[in-house]
Amino acid sequence: MTEFFAGIDRIAHEGPESTNPLAFRHYDPDEVVLGKRMEEHLRFAVAYWHSLAFEGLDPFGGRTFDRPWYGDDMDHARLKADVAFELFSKLGVPYFCFHDADVRPEGASHAESTARLNAIADHFETKMAETGVKLLWGTANLFSNRRFMAGAATNPDPDVFAYAAATIKANMDVTQRLGGENYVLWGGREGYETLLNTDLGAELDQMGRMLSLVVEYKHKIGFKGAILLEPKPQEPTKHQYDFDVATCYGFLKRYGLEDEVKVNIEVGHAFLAGHSFEHELAMARTLGIFGSIDMNRNDIQCGWDTDHFPNDPREATLAYYQILKAGGFTTGGTNFDAKIRRQSLDPVDLFHGHILGMDTCARGLKAAAAMIGDGTHDVFVADRYAGWQGAEAQAMLKGERSLDQIADRVISEGIEPQPRSGRQEYLEGLVNRFV
């Protein structure tokens, strides 16, 4: 145990009436929801980069946090890991996630960076054995270093592509060694800032080739987890090629990877794409590529990815409704890609943020399960589309009627359809019954 969280015990569930700020009011890992423990439904993970590596920076100001593990050497990296696993254990989360750059200092060469990553992985193995905390997914930071300013896979320099490929391999190896259940690719700069210096076709082909290499290597090493692509429309680049779920699916189809790769969907990224989180989840479920989620929220008054902890049970309800309808998580989970505010200086603030998020998600899960159990919403939607079960409707849908045949039937039968209410306000009120 470190001294950083001294005086903070493991967070317990005390129920909705509790006023203890260091207790769960709604998240009870052992509560059974739709036949499964809540912990198994939600599969919570803490994001190493925001909880341990974030220094309180923003675009107009530098570090506000003063953490004892800040330092560019391996001793500080090991201290950071010790504090991290104390945080994970006291929160009672089953998983964590990381980028390579979060956990080890950059080396003078790729070989040195990889050696440092492997040394920290040795330390992680010990901490994971001691605590029982597992790795939900690993990933590579291919956006912070200046070598990636024009992208990683999409860079015009093939040496940068090669360096990125070697970095991904090193991180896949560590993810495999640590028993990670997924591997995520988020190309923070896989896009363009101006079309004046960009060959779109070349960059898309490079990105497709990199993803194919990842899939090939997955099978070579026998990695049993999912490969996940994380959509984001912009920021820091003007336009990113993995804009949203639908764009990612089109990309995967073009390169024949739709059966090999799924998506990790983030609330804030959906917001930046002009979508709701519910929309992105529903699209992934419909297209068969739902994998995992990064749970957070954006400030609606800001135009960038602010990564707040979630606090709206209604939004969480709509999200977990889609997740449950998709069959729930398999290898994926709920990763808190969220950071405390730069004015939240105290160690205990990390607990307040995660407790808020975990309770919000628990309320959403239970409300979504109640909606499904009630069945009213599902019956309404089924009734709205019931006409499509008729013989002629099915014939049209299956391609058994030509355009002129359909037109002839409309004329001969005098079809004059009348609009029916979509009853949106009723349905919104129905959701509120369960939240």
Side-chain angles (χ1 to χ4, degrees):
M1 302 293 286
T2 71
E3 294 299 318
F4 189 71
F5 297 120
I8 300 175
D9 297 323
R10 184 181 173 96
I11 308 302
H13 172 257
E14 295 185 1
E17 304 306 316
S18 175
T19 59
N20 179 3
L22 289 176
F24 296 120
R25 299 175 64 244
H26 301 281
Y27 176 61
D28 178 356
D30 294 319
E31 181 177 345
V32 175
V33 178
L34 295 181
K36 190 161 64 173
R37 292 175 62 251
M38 191 180 289
E39 182 182 74
E40 296 168 357
H41 272 296
L42 292 168
R43 293 166 60 86
F44 284 134
V46 172
Y48 212 99
W49 53 98
H50 282 328
S51 293
L52 285 308
F54 178 54
E55 298 182 352
L57 310 172
D58 72 11
F60 299 97
R63 176 192 293 179
T64 58
F65 299 162
D66 185 16
R67 309 303 199 202
W69 58 83
Y70 290 163
D72 197 26
D73 59 69
M74 291 296 288
D75 287 340
H76 283 93
R78 291 186 183 91
L79 174 60
K80 184 195 297 186
D82 292 341
V83 173
F85 278 86
E86 183 176 350
L87 174 65
F88 307 155
S89 297
K90 289 186 172 182
L91 282 171
V93 296
Y95 294 102
F96 74 106
C97 303
F98 72 91
H99 303 80
D100 53 349
D102 307 325
V103 303
R104 56 96 180 108
E106 188 86 7
S109 65
H110 177 270
E112 185 176 23
S113 292
T114 300
R116 290 177 172 183
L117 176 63
N118 282 311
I120 291 297
D122 293 340
H123 195 58
F124 279 177
E125 284 184 318
T126 300
K127 304 302 292 187
M128 292 167 75
E130 290 174 355
T131 63
V133 177
K134 297 171 286 187
L135 177 61
L136 186 65
W137 50 260
T139 188
N141 181 321
L142 301 176
F143 47 88
S144 293
N145 192 288
R146 66 193 294 270
R147 69 173 63 89
F148 300 123
M149 67 180 186
T154 60
N155 200 288
D157 184 345
D159 284 347
V160 175
F161 180 100
Y163 194 99
T167 303
I168 291 171
K169 176 191 177 298
N171 281 275
M172 290 183 72
D173 288 341
V174 165
T175 300
Q176 167 88 322
R177 172 153 73 100
L178 296 177
E181 299 188 21
N182 309 269
Y183 185 82
V184 170
L185 296 116
W186 177 62
R189 299 188 188 276
E190 306 292 33
Y192 65 81
E193 295 180 8
T194 174
L195 282 171
L196 294 173
N197 64 7
T198 302
D199 183 334
L200 280 173
E203 294 198 357
L204 285 170
D205 284 346
Q206 290 169 211
M207 189 170 163
R209 183 60 193 137
M210 182 69 85
L211 194 51
S212 295
L213 288 168
V214 169
V215 169
E216 291 165 10
Y217 191 65
K218 167 192 169 172
H219 292 302
K220 179 178 180 179
I221 64 175
F223 180 61
K224 301 303 181 185
I227 302 298
L228 304 176
L229 192 61
E230 183 165 326
K232 188 178 184 182
Q234 82 271 332
E235 194 217 35
T237 57
K238 175 180 178 178
H239 172 83
Q240 290 175 198
Y241 300 130
D242 45 7
F243 188 93
D244 60 7
V245 168
T247 304
C248 286
Y249 183 72
F251 172 81
L252 294 173
K253 287 283 287 186
R254 177 174 181 174
Y255 295 100
L257 297 168
E258 69 274 16
D259 295 328
E260 294 280 2
V261 179
K262 298 185 184 299
V263 286
N264 182 56
I265 308 169
E266 180 178 319
V267 180
H269 296 179
F271 177 87
L272 291 179
H275 303 311
S276 67
F277 188 43
E278 174 192 12
H279 165 89
E280 289 289 82
L281 290 166
M283 186 65 72
R285 173 167 76 94
T286 300
L287 296 172
I289 56 171
F290 171 67
S292 194
I293 65 171
D294 276 2
M295 182 60 85
N296 56 24
R297 64 183 169 92
N298 277 6
D299 188 326
I300 62 172
Q301 294 178 306
C302 297
W304 61 89
D305 198 9
T306 52
D307 293 325
H308 293 248
F309 280 92
N311 65 359
D312 187 339
R314 190 177 190 280
E315 292 297 316
T317 298
L318 297 174
Y320 284 105
Y321 176 82
Q322 293 295 332
I323 291 168
L324 290 173
K325 296 296 282 187
F329 295 117
T330 53
T331 62
T334 303
N335 174 49
F336 286 110
D337 191 352
K339 57 179 179 277
I340 55 177
R341 301 302 92 190
R342 70 194 303 263
Q343 296 181 51
S344 298
L345 303 178
D346 298 336
V348 72
D349 292 322
L350 281 165
F351 285 88
H352 292 318
H354 284 92
I355 291 168
L356 167 65
M358 293 166 77
D359 268 348
T360 300
C361 292
R363 291 181 66 182
L365 174 72
K366 289 189 283 189
M371 280 181 62
I372 291 171
D374 174 78
T376 303
H377 177 258
D378 289 339
V379 169
F380 177 89
V381 174
D383 286 348
R384 189 169 186 234
Y385 291 88
W388 280 98
Q389 301 307 311
E392 279 300 317
Q394 285 291 299
M396 288 191 295
L397 198 59
K398 294 176 180 177
E400 297 171 358
R401 298 290 185 270
S402 65
L403 190 65
D404 54 349
Q405 286 175 322
I406 295 171
D408 288 344
R409 186 171 70 85
V410 169
I411 294 169
S412 65
E413 296 182 12
I415 295 175
E416 294 291 340
Q418 298 301 310
R420 294 180 296 168
S421 175
R423 303 180 69 189
Q424 179 175 333
E425 294 75 16
Y426 159 74
L427 294 169
E428 290 173 347
L430 178 65
V431 171
N432 282 352
R433 281 172 42 194
F434 301 100
V435 175

